[in-house]
Amino acid sequence: MVVTGWLESLRAAEKTALLQDGRRKVHYLFPDGKEMAEEYDEKTSELLVRKWRVKSALGALGQWQIEVGEPAPHGAGNLGCELIKESNANPIFMRKDTKMCFQWRIRNLPYPKDVYNVCVDQQERCVVVRTTNKKYYKKFSITDLERYQLPLDDSLLSFAYANCTLIISYQKPKEVLVAESELQKELKKVKMAHSSDGDCKTQ
């Protein structure tokens, strides 16, 4: 089963964990050299950040690529204020999941709710966002479903609009919820360092 395959690759990865500022931070190092870093809310275990880093052909470390969460401005100050100031006329796309849903937010979209159309493109295995006034178009894949190789289901997709922000939600399939629960059990086995301990210990 493919779901199990992704879970097994997470289990097999070398993991370190750190508790800092109310967040449980987990770093994964995969056998192929890829790195993944996740941050969870300490109390709710909700995923706040997921980012990836790969080495170049010459072995140099690349930049972290954010998959879940909002890129922090320089110095990791207020949540995205500088970023918003720099591009306040352009739509800002980010993913911010909940316990039960994958969720994406597209800010700075000033059009009324009835112009938006959000649907699944089964052929390309992605979500498509378009407006009837042809002012905005975007398509994106749901990376978790790709990893688990699960089909996309239009009935699990919904969207809302408020304060110039389009919020797109995709209800997590049962298989994903089970896998996430199994991963949380696995992460509890990883020895947790605290920010005052210095470097995190490797499992």
Side-chain angles (χ1 to χ4, degrees):
M1 190 177 175
V2 180
V3 172
T4 311
W6 171 241
L7 195 55
E8 285 308 317
S9 71
L10 293 176
R11 283 184 175 134
E14 189 178 293
K15 294 181 284 292
T16 56
L18 174 71
L19 192 61
Q20 186 178 48
D21 302 327
R23 293 185 176 206
R24 192 155 40 98
K25 301 181 178 185
V26 185
H27 178 273
Y28 303 77
L29 180 61
F30 296 93
D32 62 2
K34 280 185 184 173
E35 295 176 76
M36 182 174 79
E38 293 183 325
E39 295 182 18
Y40 293 90
D41 184 291
E42 183 192 354
K43 292 189 175 67
T44 65
S45 294
E46 204 166 288
L47 178 66
L48 304 172
V49 174
R50 178 187 291 141
K51 54 189 178 179
W52 289 86
R53 184 165 69 175
V54 297
K55 286 183 178 178
S56 71
L58 299 174
L61 286 173
Q63 294 290 315
W64 284 103
Q65 300 297 316
I66 303 282
E67 180 182 316
V68 178
E70 186 166 3
H74 300 300
N78 289 337
L79 225 54
C81 289
E82 291 173 31
L83 185 73
I84 294 166
K85 283 177 189 170
E86 288 169 9
S87 54
N88 59 359
N90 298 322
I92 297 172
F93 178 83
M94 62 168 284
R95 178 173 154 188
K96 183 175 167 51
D97 290 354
T98 67
K99 271 281 195 190
M100 303 305 291
C101 291
F102 303 122
Q103 197 171 88
W104 301 264
R105 292 163 190 260
I106 311 175
R107 295 182 183 150
N108 298 338
L109 288 178
Y111 320 113
K113 182 183 177 180
D114 56 11
V115 310
Y116 300 104
N117 178 271
V118 181
C119 63
V120 164
D121 183 326
Q122 293 289 359
Q123 197 169 349
E124 293 196 34
R125 284 184 57 81
C126 65
V127 176
V128 179
V129 182
R130 55 167 63 89
T131 57
T132 54
N133 61 8
K134 297 183 168 53
K135 298 283 188 184
Y136 185 80
Y137 177 87
K138 185 171 184 68
K139 60 183 182 180
F140 57 93
S141 61
I142 303 178
T143 46
D144 294 73
L145 297 189
E146 293 297 316
R147 290 182 192 119
Y148 293 124
Q149 291 190 17
L150 294 170
L152 274 75
D153 184 346
D154 242 323
S155 68
L156 300 179
L157 188 67
S158 62
F159 72 94
Y161 179 80
N163 302 319
C164 293
T165 301
L166 188 68
I167 301 171
I168 301 160
S169 300
Y170 188 97
Q171 191 177 323
K172 291 178 182 177
K174 176 183 63 188
E175 295 91 339
V176 171
L177 292 173
V178 169
E180 289 182 345
S181 174
E182 288 298 313
L183 177 60
Q184 288 305 314
K185 290 177 192 171
E186 189 70 25
L187 293 179
K188 282 177 181 168
K189 300 175 190 173
V190 180
K191 182 173 171 55
M192 187 76 63
H194 292 263
S195 52
S196 58
D197 296 345
D199 294 335
C200 356
K201 309 289 188 292
T202 304
Q203 181 178 288

